[in-house]
Amino acid sequence: MFSYLRQRFTSHLRERSRRRARLVSKDGRCNIEFGNVEQSRFVFLIDIWTTILDLRWRYKMTIFISAFLGSWFLFGLLWYVVAYIHKDLPEFNPSINHTPCVENINGLTSAFLFSLETQVTIGYGFRCVTEQCATAIFLLIFQSILGVIINSFMCGAILAKISRSKNRAKTITFSKNAVISKRGGKLCLLIRVANLRKSLLIGSHIYGKLLKTTITPEGETIILDQVNIEFVVDAGNENLFFISPLTIYHIIDKNSPFFHMAAETLLQQDFELVVFLDGTVEATSATCQVRTSYIPEEVLWGYRFAPIVSKTKEGKYRVDFQNFSKTVAVETPHCAFCLYNEKEAKAKEKKGYDNPGFVLSEVSETSDTKM
């Protein structure tokens, strides 16, 4: 009994680990880790713009707040040093006729407030630079220029992060499962994709990659070997009119890597089907790519998708997303090889064969009966 439970538990863990072992998640994120990278991380600082854009929001906001607070405090210290050197602080007991570099700086706190007012151009008018110190004038110019640069860079990075086409990709959804059934007399692998916005993706193009482990004739093992998978719709796979959900399909013919698979052996296969949708966002003209993947457990053999588009009495077309990933069992050959053999057998039955050496001779009938 104990060995049986241990075997079930081991098989469950193996199945669970297999389900998690995928390169691309359902929402398009890549599950890959780089190790022993010899190149210095300094190269990421050279391309600081892309590095900032790729950061998560919590890190980006931390850098945003730290950049402003750090610059305000740093220049506050510099303003305090200027006031200290020029002996403008109250502890030096300046005379009545003494003209300070900056009016009304009495300590570090007031120096920080003046730095804040200068960099963000608040201009309360209580503290201001005088003509007494050239150092103060130079520091005012330098802080104003640096403040504009920091403000432009950080605000531009946040705006670019918000407007990235990656967010547009979240409104493109794929069906939870892929199905295999007959379509147009051919065995096909079908996937449903929908655009949740009414704005179109211009110049959309759909294609796929089958990732699997292969062994070459030379004995080399290639992990994540990529095989092209062509997906089409009835109008082609380019420049799609992507206003309503589409069912894309891959024809399983003799050139397809799914040709030698069967319904009984599908779950025993080790592959990952990654589907890509490229397009241009209509509003921003930015390119957008949507990705998803399917493992053997997510490919249903002998099913088709339920209807999703209907027409109302008012003449409008209605899309019911409740049936978006719903599947219906249909009669399907258990392998593509059997379907093609069946077609060839039926085609041979209809064929006739002529014998060129056959000659039809007419025989005259004679009657031996005389009247």
Side-chain angles (χ1 to χ4, degrees):
M1 182 65 180
F2 179 74
S3 60
Y4 173 76
L5 293 177
R6 185 177 59 182
Q7 183 179 2
R8 289 293 301 272
F9 182 72
T10 304
S11 61
H12 175 72
L13 291 180
R14 189 185 302 111
E15 182 68 20
R16 186 176 179 181
S17 62
R18 182 182 178 184
R19 284 177 177 269
R20 292 186 177 181
R22 60 196 311 160
L23 179 65
V24 180
S25 62
K26 297 297 289 185
D27 57 356
R29 290 178 295 178
C30 296
N31 181 25
I32 191 169
E33 178 180 331
F34 296 99
N36 299 325
V37 180
E38 298 180 358
Q39 200 169 11
S40 174
R41 295 185 179 272
F42 181 72
V43 295
F44 295 98
L45 297 178
I46 296 177
D47 188 14
I48 187 64
W49 178 255
T50 305
T51 302
I52 293 295
L53 290 183
D54 290 340
L55 289 177
R56 296 188 176 183
W57 274 109
R58 54 179 177 267
Y59 301 124
K60 185 185 294 292
M61 295 306 300
T62 301
I63 294 175
F64 179 84
I65 296 173
S66 301
F68 282 101
L69 290 179
S71 61
W72 295 340
F73 184 75
L74 175 62
F75 280 100
L77 290 177
L78 295 178
W79 286 116
Y80 180 81
V81 170
V82 170
Y84 184 86
I85 294 175
H86 198 256
K87 297 182 178 182
D88 298 336
L89 301 177
E91 56 262 29
F92 292 105
N93 297 319
S95 62
I96 301 177
N97 297 327
H98 178 75
T99 303
C101 292
V102 182
E103 295 282 356
N104 299 312
I105 286 188
N106 303 319
L108 185 60
T109 303
S110 58
F112 175 79
L113 292 176
F114 178 72
S115 173
L116 172 63
E117 296 168 14
T118 301
Q119 188 163 329
V120 299
T121 64
I122 294 178
Y124 288 126
F126 183 69
R127 300 178 181 89
C128 61
V129 177
T130 64
E131 301 176 355
Q132 186 68 23
C133 298
T135 304
I137 297 175
F138 172 78
L139 184 59
L140 176 66
I141 296 173
F142 182 71
Q143 184 179 4
S144 300
I145 295 175
L146 185 61
V148 171
I149 294 175
I150 295 176
N151 187 59
S152 301
F153 182 86
M154 297 308 301
C155 293
I158 291 181
L159 180 61
K161 180 79 171 179
I162 295 175
S163 60
R164 290 183 76 177
S165 57
K166 187 177 182 180
N167 296 326
R168 177 65 175 91
K170 294 182 180 180
T171 56
I172 306 296
T173 180
F174 288 88
S175 57
K176 181 180 179 181
N177 297 298
V179 298
I180 295 179
S181 59
K182 293 176 65 176
R183 185 183 181 94
K186 300 178 181 178
L187 192 64
C188 300
L189 184 142
L190 301 96
I191 298 172
R192 180 171 277 174
V193 58
N195 180 14
L196 301 182
R197 289 185 179 272
K198 292 186 178 180
S199 58
L200 300 178
L201 282 181
I202 304 173
S204 300
H205 175 63
I206 297 178
Y207 57 98
K209 299 285 185 180
L210 187 69
L211 308 179
K212 60 179 182 178
T213 301
T214 59
I215 300 177
T216 63
E218 294 77 17
E220 179 184 2
T221 301
I222 302 177
I223 300 178
L224 297 179
D225 187 22
Q226 301 184 14
V227 180
N228 291 327
I229 301 295
E230 294 294 333
F231 282 98
V232 296
V233 294
D234 293 334
N237 62 341
E238 294 184 356
N239 300 324
L240 305 177
F241 186 48
F242 201 13
I243 193 63
S244 62
L246 298 175
T247 301
I248 61 175
Y249 59 92
H250 165 70
I251 302 175
I252 304 179
D253 54 11
K254 295 182 179 180
N255 298 323
S256 172
F258 295 96
F259 183 76
H260 297 286
M261 299 183 187
E264 297 81 4
T265 62
L266 180 63
L267 296 179
Q268 302 174 5
Q269 304 294 326
D270 184 16
F271 67 85
E272 181 177 352
L273 176 62
V274 185
V275 184
F276 301 86
L277 172 63
D278 296 341
T280 303
V281 181
E282 186 179 23
T284 61
S285 299
T287 57
C288 172
Q289 184 182 85
V290 193
R291 299 180 295 268
T292 191
S293 69
Y294 299 92
I295 56 178
E297 290 79 5
E298 297 170 345
V299 180
L300 306 179
W301 195 296
Y303 289 83
R304 64 172 176 83
F305 291 110
I308 190 174
V309 180
S310 60
K311 192 174 183 180
T312 63
K313 296 180 180 180
E314 294 79 10
K316 295 183 178 180
Y317 292 93
R318 184 176 183 271
V319 179
D320 186 6
F321 280 95
Q322 185 178 0
N323 294 336
F324 180 73
S325 295
K326 185 177 180 181
T327 57
V328 180
V330 292
E331 184 179 354
T332 306
H334 72 281
C335 66
F337 187 75
C338 299
L339 176 63
Y340 281 91
N341 285 345
E342 181 182 353
K343 287 184 176 181
E344 291 179 0
K346 291 182 178 180
K348 289 181 179 180
E349 289 179 359
K350 296 180 180 180
K351 289 182 180 179
Y353 297 93
D354 295 332
N355 185 0
F358 178 77
V359 178
L360 179 62
S361 60
E362 295 182 358
V363 180
S364 60
E365 295 182 358
T366 57
S367 179
D368 296 336
T369 305
K370 295 182 180 181
M371 298 299 295

